[in-house]
Amino acid sequence: MEYRLITRLAEQPQPAHLISWPGSPLLAEVDCPALAAMVDRAAAGDIADTQFACAPFARITLIPVAAWQDALTDTLLGHLRPLFAAPASPQVLLDCTRLENASVLAKTLRFLFNLDHQLSDLGLKSQTAPTTRVTQLTGYCQPRALAELTETFRLQHAIAHGMLAARRLADIPSEQCTPQFVVEEAQRLCASWPQLRCEVLDERAIGEQGLGLLHAVGKGASRPPRLLAIHYDGRQDGPVRSYVGKGITFDTGGLWLKEGAGMYTMKYDMCGAANVLGLMLSIARLALPVRVMGVLALAENAIGPEAMQPGSVARACNGMTVEINNTDAEGRLVLADAIAWAAKRHPQTRFIIDLATLTGAVVKALGYELSGLMTQNEALRASLTAAGIASGDEVWSLPLDKRLKKQTDSAIADLCNTPGNNAAISASAAWLLHHFCPAEIPWAHLDVSGTALWREHGRSVASGRPIPLLMQHLLDDIVQ
Ligand code: BES
Ligand code: MN
Ligand code: ZN
């Protein structure tokens, strides 16, 4: 989707779908018979929408002021979603004069730019009803707001670019979207950006470099595991910032088999990894002057004769051993190895942030709006929390300290992958992970089980979160 900004209606290619609010200065420039009655309606607090008698527009929608000013953006997006289920025109003219709250504006733009990916685009439906696609978004603003809005549009467009790639990859069914397939897609997508370079560990390299936890999780599947590191060098020197994503291409639970109902959502258990890839693409698109490494820990948690067994012990690449009590707690295993590997690869790392659909328990604790943040580094906690508020992609902290120590005690190994008491499940996973990041590297864990997916037509699909959060956090961190 292309975009541009205008300060006068005359610059708008027509006929567009106009989205505005009653009282907007833009309406003074509009000459159309339907308008007066619509303004009254929207001013009284109802949405006013017409596709008739609205020339020179294809459609006019006036949304009450309260919706544009709701800081949570839910009301505004609640109005916009049904309008774009079947767009009236490839051109959208968005009146930005009441989008004063930065996170509401950012979320609205991301929603519109994200219309570029639909499930039907995967080509798996033999008959799709032809619907109009939005191809150009025009923002209307007043001249004094133009410079700032130009920057916001550019940023959100780049963020959406990464979200779209990540969402598309996550939506591909897991029998096609295997660890090797993710690697190939990443290589293909990164090839467009000379500053991005892929480093791949196949199952042999995984063995040679001692990533025994990643190997343990992946060995039950006929599709072998991979570790993919994507390097971005937007400058030659300076610290590297690292992101690690959980990339379980399908999570059956292993021998600790999950129930069938809802298991289809476990093809999305690679959203952490997909979003690391998306973030790298967004960074490359913005040509940020930083060094970044994205590590994708890719494996399928399958059942079969080679599958890891409850009670087995495996060794990570930092030498620590883990008793695998529960084969369904596989995410922390692959992440532990990937975090330790990332720290070895770049010992001078400014921070490591991992993102993972790690526990169902974080959804019980925080719901579907907030990602769970667990860290012992107060500076990272503050900066991630602030970036969440600024971007509208928010996090909330769960506790992480040594009171959780007994949650990872094992009689036979250094650590056990699940607590025997079934308590503090999300934080216990984070406690296990912290052993794999050297104490001198600031580290934070994001549990995105509730946020990496959203419900669309009653089904779960990938959301692209927390790419907006991480991009905001990175931008804030660069200027610091
Ligand atoms: N991938 C799941 C977590 C998950 C569950 C994400 C539901 C999204 C929706 C993870 O691998 C898992 O199975 N976690 C277990 C942890 C338990 C065994 C300690 C869980 O949440 O039940
Ligand atoms: Mn699992
Ligand atoms: Zn999982």
Side-chain angles (χ1 to χ4, degrees), residues 5 57 201 230 266 278 379 433:
L5 279 149
F57 297 96
L201 271 61
I230 306 172
M266 288 300 127
L433 291 178

Side-chain angles (χ1 to χ4, degrees), residues 265-266 269 356-374 396 398 425-427 445-455 460:
T265 64
M266 288 300 127
D269 213 16
T357 48
L358 205 61
T359 63
V362 81
V363 188
K364 297 258 191 294
L366 299 178
Y368 295 99
E369 301 296 326
L370 295 162
S371 302
L373 167 64
M374 283 148 269
W396 207 272
L398 293 173
I425 289 178
S426 304
H445 162 58
L446 294 171
D447 194 332
V448 296
S449 297
T451 52
L453 304 186
W454 69 37
R455 306 287 294 175
S460 295

Side-chain angles (χ1 to χ4, degrees), residues 183-259:
V183 166
E184 285 166 19
E185 280 295 286
Q187 288 170 327
R188 189 177 66 78
L189 293 164
C190 291
S192 310
W193 308 96
Q195 297 125 312
L196 290 175
R197 189 168 45 82
C198 291
E199 174 185 3
V200 186
L201 271 61
D202 61 10
E203 63 265 49
R204 214 177 107 190
I206 287 169
E208 282 167 5
Q209 298 194 25
L211 286 85
L213 302 184
L214 179 59
H215 168 74
V217 172
K219 73 192 172 75
S222 58
R223 307 150 180 123
R226 296 284 182 264
L227 188 93
L228 168 64
I230 306 172
H231 302 275
Y232 171 81
D233 289 314
R235 58 185 291 167
Q236 292 313 311
D237 52 0
V240 170
R241 294 161 169 95
S242 294
Y243 301 91
V244 177
K246 170 178 173 181
I248 298 297
T249 55
F250 194 79
D251 182 10
T252 63
L255 295 182
W256 195 298
L257 191 62
K258 288 181 182 296
E259 274 178 33

